[in-house]
Amino acid sequence: MSLLLALELLLSLLALPRLSSTSNSTHPSLDRQAEALLQWKSSLSSWSFDFLDSWTNRSSPCNWSGVACSNAMPPGSGRGHPALVVWEIWLPDCGLVGRLDRLHFADLPHLVYLNLGHNSLSGPIPSSIGAVADLTHLDLSNNGLNGSIPTSLGNCTKLRTLALASNQITGLLPPEIGYCRSLLSLLASDNLLTGQIPQELGYLSNLNELDLSRNSLSGTIPVILYKLNYLFRVNLSYNSLGGKVPSFTGSWIDLDHNKDLCDDSYGLTPCDTPNIDMEHKSRKHSRMVLLAFFAPFSFACLSIASITVVCWRKKCVKSKSKRKSGDVLSIWNFDGKIAFEDILTATENFDEKYCIGVGGYGTVFRVELESGAVFAVKLLHSMEEFSAEETFHAEIEVLTKIRHRCIVKLYGFCSHSQCKFLVYDLIERGSLSSILHEQELAKELNWTNRITIVTDIAQALAYLHHDCDDPIVHRDIKSSNILLNLDYKAYVSDFGMARKLKHGCSSWSTIFAGTCGYIAPELSSTMVLTEKCDVYSFGVVALEVVMGKHPGDLLLPFFCRTEQPGKFNDILDRRIAAPSTIHEEKDAILVALVAFACLQVNPKSRPTMQQVYQALTNRNRPAFMPRPLHEISLQDLHDYCGTIKNI
C-alpha cells in the first residue's frame, strides 16, 4: 500500500507544469509571466491555423511564436543583475477567439509592444493594463471588444501608438489619455464612444494622427487642438459634433457627416451670425458711417500687418521644424516599432542595390530591418509638381481607410518637405506584368493560378466599387499594378490616381489619368469618370492573363464593331499546357467571356464588378458553352458575353 502511495505522489510531481528552459531560481519573474500567458492561452480558441502551438510549459516563453524577451533591470537603483522578461507579444490576424480580460497584465509589467489586432477577442479592456508602465505600442483594433476605455491607460505615459479601431467600445473617451504625452497616433474609429472630446487631448503635443470617426461623439471640437503643431491627420467624420471648427494645422481633415458643424472652410456651412436687436443695429450703422471715411487707410494698415504676421509665423514654424526634425520625420500611422532612421539604415540611404522596381511616381526599395521584418518602401520622386503631391496624398487617403485581403496593405508613410515615402507590406513575387514577361516565371502560372489571380482582382474591385462608403475608382488597373505573393495570390496596388465618387454619380476627370492600352475609350472623348472605367481596364488585364501578353490588336474589333476573327484556342498562352480538364476549360472560357463583356465600348453594356465577381465564383453556373474549347471562336465569346450579367 505504501508503494502505491509513493507511486501516486511521484506521478503527481511529474504532472506539475515546469519550464525546461528556465527555472524559478534563475528567472522567477519570467516563470510568472509564462504562467499568466499559459492561463490566457487555455481560455482561447482559434478559427484558423493555431499560432499558439509553441506555447507550452516545456519551453521558455522566449521561444514561443509571437513572443520576444529582453533583459530588464530589477526595481531599485541599478543593483542586481538584469532579469529576462517578456518584452513583446505580436499576434495580429491569428484567428484568436476569447476574452482579453483573461490576460493578467499585472504579471507582464515590462511589456513594450502588444499587437492583438484583427482577431476575434471579446470582453472589456482590463484596467490592469495600466500596470504596464513601459508600454509604447498597443494595437487591439478590429476585434469585438466592449466596455469602456480604462482610465488606467493614463499610467502608460510612454505610449506612442494606441489603436482601438473597429470594436464595440462604449462610454467616454477618458481625459486621462492626456497624460500619455508621448502619444503619436490615437486611433479609435468605428466604435460606440459617446460624450465630448476631452480638452485634455490638447496636452498631446507630439500627436500626429487623431481618428475618432464613426462614433457617437457630441459637443464641440476643443479649440485647444489647434495648438497641436504636428497633428498631420484628423478624422472626426460620422459623429454628432457641432459648433465652430478650430483652425487645424493638419493637412488632412475629414469632418463629413457632422450636421451641426460650421465653418467658412472644410466644405462646411458658414456659421450664423447671432441676431442683433434694432437699437444695436442703429448704433452699429452710425459707427459704420464714421468708419467709412477711414476705410482706405484702415485697409492698407491691415494688409501690411497681415503680411508681416504671416511671414513671422512661417519663419517660426520653419525654425521649430528644424529644431524638432526627429518628430517631423517620424512615420505616421505606423506600428510604433520603426523610425525614420531605421529605414535609412536598412537601405543605406536608399542605395540602388535595394531597389526592386521603378514607377512613374517613385522607386520601390526592399527594406529588411534588424528584427527580421521585411517591407516595401516607395520613395517618391521630386514633389515639385502639384500632380505628384496630389498622387502621394491620394494614395494615403484611400489606403488608410480601406482594408481588404486582395489590396496591398499600407503600414505607414513619411511626409516631409525633403523626403516622402510610403511603407507597404512586401509582396514577394512582384508584379503580374514582370512575371508574364519572363519566360520561365510565366510557365509557373498554370491555369488554376491564372483563374485565381483574375478572381482576386475582381474581388478587390468589387469591394472598392460596392462595399466602401463612397465608391472608389482606381483609374490605373493594369498588370504592373497587380502584385503576386509566393502563393500567387493577387493584390491590387498603386492608388495614386484613385478617386472617390458619390453613390450613383459620375465625375469629370480633370486629367487624362491611366495607362495607354488599359484606358476606357469613353475617357478619351467625354472625360467622364465612372466605375465602368475600371471594369474596362479589368477586362484588358483578364485577357492579358489568358493570352500571356497584352491583347493589343484583339481590342480593335470592339472599337470598329467588326467580327472577331480566329479561334479562342489560338490566343491562349502557349508557354503553359492547354487546359487539360473540363473544369479548367470551363474556367478559361469563363474568364474570356468576362473579359469580352468588360471590353464593350458602351459603358452601359459592361457588367458591374460585383456581377463579374459573382460570375467567377458561382460554381452552380449553367453550361453557357457546351462545345469543346478548340471549337469555340472569338466571335462566339463576343456573342455570348452578355450572359455574364445573368450568371
Side-chain angles (χ1 to χ4, degrees):
M1 190 67 177
S2 59
L3 181 61
L4 182 60
L5 289 173
L7 183 59
E8 288 180 354
L9 179 61
L10 179 61
L11 290 174
S12 63
L13 289 173
L14 290 173
L16 289 174
R18 68 185 190 277
L19 298 173
S20 62
S21 300
T22 61
S23 66
N24 290 332
S25 59
T26 307
H27 299 293
S29 174
L30 185 62
D31 288 348
R32 286 196 302 273
Q33 294 170 67
E35 291 173 9
L37 292 175
L38 286 175
Q39 287 179 8
W40 183 52
K41 177 198 172 183
S42 65
S43 68
L44 296 175
S45 59
S46 175
W47 47 262
S48 63
F49 178 77
D50 193 352
F51 286 84
L52 305 184
D53 281 344
S54 60
W55 288 32
T56 69
N57 55 18
R58 294 185 298 275
S59 63
S60 166
C62 304
N63 299 324
W64 296 352
S65 60
V67 178
C69 297
S70 180
N71 288 318
M73 292 298 296
S77 55
R79 293 173 295 183
H81 298 287
L84 202 60
V85 296
V86 172
W87 178 71
E88 173 186 298
I89 301 175
W90 211 258
L91 295 169
D93 199 15
C94 291
L96 302 181
V97 180
R99 294 180 64 88
L100 181 65
D101 53 355
R102 299 287 177 86
L103 178 58
H104 299 293
F105 287 101
D107 293 326
L108 303 165
H110 298 287
L111 196 61
V112 176
Y113 298 112
L114 177 63
N115 188 341
L116 300 174
H118 293 272
N119 285 291
S120 298
L121 299 175
S122 58
I125 303 172
S127 59
S128 62
I129 199 168
V132 191
D134 293 331
L135 195 63
T136 65
H137 178 86
L138 177 61
D139 188 346
L140 302 174
S141 59
N142 289 273
N143 278 286
L145 301 175
N146 52 33
S148 58
I149 300 174
T151 58
S152 60
L153 270 176
N155 299 330
C156 305
T157 55
K158 298 179 181 179
L159 199 61
R160 300 182 68 196
T161 300
L162 177 58
L164 305 173
S166 299
N167 281 287
Q168 300 174 28
I169 298 173
T170 58
L172 305 175
L173 190 65
E176 286 78 6
I177 290 180
Y179 293 123
C180 304
R181 303 296 174 85
S182 300
L183 202 61
L184 298 176
S185 296
L186 174 54
L187 311 173
S189 62
D190 198 11
N191 278 289
L192 304 172
L193 296 174
T194 56
Q196 297 188 0
I197 301 174
Q199 298 277 347
E200 286 76 5
L201 294 189
Y203 299 147
L204 305 177
S205 57
N206 295 314
L207 195 65
N208 299 153
E209 184 177 21
L210 175 64
D211 191 347
L212 302 176
S213 60
R214 298 185 180 280
N215 282 286
S216 299
L217 298 173
S218 57
T220 58
I221 301 175
V223 178
I224 195 171
L225 294 184
Y226 87 94
K227 293 185 178 180
L228 302 180
N229 294 325
Y230 299 112
L231 191 56
F232 178 79
R233 179 172 178 264
V234 179
N235 190 348
L236 301 175
S237 60
Y238 291 91
N239 278 288
S240 300
L241 300 171
K244 184 173 176 57
V245 178
S247 299
F248 287 105
T249 57
S251 301
W252 288 98
I253 314 295
D254 191 346
L255 303 171
D256 291 347
H257 298 275
N258 283 281
K259 62 180 180 180
D260 294 326
L261 286 179
C262 66
D263 197 79
D264 294 331
S265 57
Y266 308 116
L268 299 172
T269 305
C271 298
D272 294 331
T273 305
N275 291 329
I276 305 172
D277 57 56
M278 294 302 295
E279 182 180 353
H280 184 70
K281 281 185 179 180
S282 178
R283 278 196 225 130
K284 186 176 181 180
H285 178 70
S286 301
R287 293 193 192 106
M288 292 300 293
V289 171
L290 184 62
L291 289 173
F293 292 101
F294 300 97
F297 176 74
S298 301
F299 178 76
C301 291
L302 285 172
S303 299
I304 295 172
S306 299
I307 294 172
T308 303
V309 169
V310 168
C311 293
W312 177 77
R313 287 190 68 181
K314 283 185 176 180
K315 185 176 180 180
C316 289
V317 171
K318 185 175 181 180
S319 62
K320 185 181 291 186
S321 299
K322 289 181 179 179
R323 288 196 303 270
K324 297 192 176 183
S325 61
D327 291 332
V328 176
L329 292 176
S330 60
I331 301 178
W332 289 289
N333 208 34
F334 209 77
D335 64 5
K337 296 187 63 179
I338 185 173
F340 177 80
E341 292 78 11
D342 297 327
I343 297 287
L344 293 183
T345 302
T347 59
E348 300 178 30
N349 292 329
F350 295 111
D351 191 279
E352 288 185 2
K353 66 183 179 182
Y354 297 99
C355 175
I356 57 175
V358 179
Y361 292 97
T363 304
V364 182
F365 295 84
R366 186 182 189 276
V367 177
E368 183 171 359
L369 304 180
E370 292 182 357
S371 63
V374 182
F375 302 99
V377 173
K378 181 163 72 175
L379 177 67
L380 273 73
H381 300 155
S382 174
M383 284 289 191
E384 295 178 359
E385 297 183 5
F386 173 75
S387 60
E389 181 80 21
E390 188 180 31
T391 298
F392 174 68
H393 291 299
E395 187 147 12
I396 294 172
E397 183 181 15
V398 171
L399 288 180
T400 52
K401 293 182 179 181
I402 62 176
R403 188 177 295 277
H404 189 272
R405 60 184 293 273
C406 297
I407 294 177
V408 68
K409 181 179 180 181
L410 175 69
Y411 280 104
F413 55 91
C414 176
S415 178
H416 188 261
S417 59
Q418 299 177 357
C419 179
K420 296 182 188 291
F421 60 78
L422 301 108
V423 185
Y424 303 94
D425 191 11
L426 180 68
I427 311 300
E428 298 86 347
R429 290 192 184 275
S431 72
L432 172 63
S433 175
S434 62
I435 293 175
L436 290 176
H437 280 83
E438 288 289 336
Q439 190 79 9
E440 296 304 317
L441 294 177
K443 290 179 181 179
E444 297 180 17
L445 277 180
N446 58 35
W447 285 108
T448 300
N449 290 333
R450 296 191 187 212
I451 304 304
T452 302
I453 289 169
V454 173
T455 305
D456 287 342
I457 303 170
Q459 185 183 18
L461 290 176
Y463 167 79
L464 293 173
H465 293 179
H466 303 281
D467 295 331
C468 295
D469 295 326
D470 290 319
I472 297 173
V473 181
H474 186 281
R475 294 210 294 174
D476 198 20
I477 294 296
K478 56 184 178 180
S479 56
S480 58
N481 284 341
I482 306 301
L483 306 180
L484 304 182
N485 70 4
L486 294 177
D487 296 323
Y488 295 102
K489 174 180 169 53
Y491 295 82
V492 176
S493 68
D494 202 341
F495 284 75
M497 295 184 185
R499 175 176 291 182
K500 286 185 176 181
L501 299 178
K502 295 299 180 183
H503 278 284
C505 298
S506 58
S507 172
W508 287 95
S509 180
T510 55
I511 59 171
F512 191 68
T515 302
C516 185
Y518 297 88
I519 300 174
E522 64 269 19
L523 275 178
S524 61
S525 56
T526 64
M527 298 295 283
V528 175
L529 179 69
T530 68
E531 298 97 321
K532 295 299 181 73
C533 298
D534 278 352
V535 175
Y536 180 88
S537 301
F538 168 83
V540 179
V541 173
L543 211 50
E544 188 173 354
V545 171
V546 171
M547 300 174 62
K549 61 181 181 180
H550 188 277
D553 293 344
L554 195 62
L555 300 178
L556 291 178
F558 289 100
F559 294 90
C560 304
R561 302 182 186 277
T562 58
E563 186 171 332
Q564 289 278 2
K567 296 285 188 180
F568 173 54
N569 200 38
D570 295 337
I571 70 168
L572 299 181
D573 192 349
R574 297 297 180 189
R575 294 172 295 182
I576 59 174
S580 57
T581 65
I582 295 177
H583 182 71
E584 283 186 353
E585 285 191 2
K586 286 187 175 182
D587 279 347
I589 296 170
L590 177 61
V591 170
L593 273 174
V594 165
F596 273 53
C598 295
L599 292 172
Q600 300 302 306
V601 174
N602 184 355
K604 294 181 179 179
S605 299
R606 300 170 200 156
T608 65
M609 286 311 305
Q610 198 169 55
Q611 290 171 328
V612 168
Y613 178 64
Q614 288 172 351
L616 290 170
T617 55
N618 182 8
R619 292 304 170 189
N620 297 319
R621 54 181 178 261
F624 43 83
M625 277 289 179
R627 284 182 291 166
L629 183 144
H630 66 275
E631 294 182 6
I632 297 174
S633 68
L634 294 177
Q635 187 59 38
D636 289 333
L637 296 174
H638 193 281
D639 294 339
Y640 278 93
C641 67
T643 61
I644 287 299
K645 295 183 179 181
N646 302 321
I647 295 178

